Amino acid sequence: MPVLVLCGAPVAGMPGAPSRMVDPTTPIASATDLGLTRGDGVFETVGVHDGRMHDLEPHLERLAQSAAMLDMPKPDLGVFREAISWAVRELLHGLDEVPATALCKVVYTRGTETAAAEIPGGRPLGFAYADVFPDVSADRHEGVPVITLSRGYPKGVGAQAPWLLAGAKTLSYAINMAALRHAKARGAKDVILTTTDGFVLEAPRSTVLVRHGGMVVTPAIEAGLLHGTAQRAAFDAFEDRGFTCDYRDVTVEQLTSADAVWLTDSVQLLRPVRTLDGTELAVDQELTGAVNAHMLAAH
């Protein structure tokens, strides 16, 4: 059964009640919470593999960075750390066996519209929700069919228009989910988003990695991309195997000429791209398996 922990005092330096575990079917947010009505909030998803959380601290750091980009009150990372650990511990305790993959989603919203308007800093809502994730071992081994879709803006929009919040992990995920539904309707499993001028961005829930010979690259985060926590762990694993890793601009044409393309995230880890827009790509199962094993063993 899923586990829900409600943060009693999610804002740094502000008093509040202790965090508490509640029934996951219990309503905890007001109908006027700006996270629900406007997508005004941030979140992170922590992967739990074989009973161990991975990259918790980078996720907490990114939660704080995203909140700062939205001009939200600074979150109390200690409160969120405890809530995540509690939710994961209770989830695993309630299961007959340790699942291969689980997750804990942590959410931080601006709170109700009234509180945000009347109280300095508002009254933000924070919670951690843990649950088992479906088995994705086949996707990690065999790869997934992917299509490219335009994100609708040119490279560099993050610097040109910071109010678009490129690089923040916000609750405004409707476009990302619409892209995944579109991919499914076309027989694909995932999407690589691109700019209008032909550069690679990221997947709706993953980072893109591209290998040419002994070099593994990911699109430069200066373009306004989310700095992937699993991508950093994957870079460590590739470098341990003698590859050179770097952040740089990647064109769509470089995807089809690559020796390998992967999607990586904290929950599903490293998944090879098997086809891109219907074109078969090489899948290196041995290298993928070795990098995934390194990522699992590193934490």
Side-chain angles (χ1 to χ4, degrees):
M1 181 177 181
V3 175
L4 175 63
V5 174
L6 181 62
C7 298
V11 180
M14 293 183 67
S19 299
R20 66 185 193 275
M21 191 168 63
V22 298
D23 188 309
T25 63
T26 301
I28 59 171
S30 166
T32 61
D33 188 291
L34 290 166
L36 295 175
T37 61
R38 303 284 177 85
D40 196 358
V42 298
F43 79 100
E44 287 289 331
T45 304
V46 180
V48 182
H49 301 283
D50 298 320
R52 294 188 300 155
M53 287 188 292
H54 284 241
D55 298 315
L56 175 58
E57 295 308 315
H59 280 290
L60 290 171
E61 292 167 8
R62 198 169 63 180
L63 182 79
Q65 292 168 1
S66 294
M69 292 177 70
L70 271 67
D71 296 319
M72 293 180 65
K74 183 179 179 179
D76 189 323
L77 298 187
V79 169
F80 279 105
R81 184 182 295 108
E82 291 174 1
I84 294 168
S85 299
W86 188 6
V88 170
R89 186 169 59 250
E90 289 296 325
L91 173 72
L92 298 176
H93 179 72
L95 299 173
D96 293 332
E97 59 181 2
V98 175
T101 308
L103 60 81
C104 186
K105 183 172 290 186
V106 56
V107 176
Y108 184 51
T109 82
R110 200 178 298 275
T112 66
E113 192 163 355
T114 300
E118 297 179 352
I119 304 172
R123 191 175 289 119
L125 171 72
F127 62 87
Y129 177 85
D131 200 0
V132 175
F133 195 79
D135 181 19
V136 292
S137 57
D139 288 349
R140 294 174 188 160
H141 182 69
E142 300 169 6
V144 292
V146 173
I147 60 172
T148 56
L149 293 177
S150 173
R151 191 66 173 83
Y153 53 65
K155 184 175 76 72
V157 72
Q160 299 163 16
W163 54 88
L164 294 180
L165 301 176
K169 196 172 179 69
T170 75
L171 293 173
S172 303
Y173 249 51
I175 292 175
N176 295 41
M177 303 315 293
L180 289 171
R181 289 193 298 272
H182 184 76
K184 184 177 180 181
R186 289 180 52 183
K189 260 198 165 180
D190 219 315
V191 171
I192 292 178
L193 297 168
T194 65
T195 66
T196 53
D197 46 355
F199 290 89
V200 175
L201 292 171
E202 55 198 347
R205 296 180 294 191
S206 307
T207 306
V208 181
L209 300 182
V210 183
R211 180 174 79 83
H212 284 91
M215 173 75 72
V216 178
V217 302
T218 193
I221 58 174
E222 287 78 12
L225 302 182
L226 200 67
H227 195 184
T229 58
Q231 168 261 308
R232 283 173 266 178
F235 267 18
D236 290 341
F238 278 114
E239 289 173 345
D240 192 60
R241 279 154 184 78
F243 289 90
T244 299
C245 297
D246 197 10
Y247 298 86
R248 61 176 61 175
D249 291 337
V250 177
T251 66
V252 175
E253 289 76 14
Q254 288 172 327
L255 292 179
T256 54
S257 65
D259 293 311
V261 179
W262 295 274
L263 304 180
T264 184
D265 63 84
S266 295
V267 177
Q268 300 179 95
L269 300 181
L270 198 68
R271 293 176 296 149
V273 175
R274 187 174 75 237
T275 65
L276 184 68
D277 295 325
T279 300
E280 294 283 339
L281 299 185
V283 173
D284 190 331
Q285 294 177 336
E286 183 178 354
L287 178 59
T288 303
V291 171
N292 275 325
H294 186 289
M295 293 169 71
L296 286 171
H299 298 277

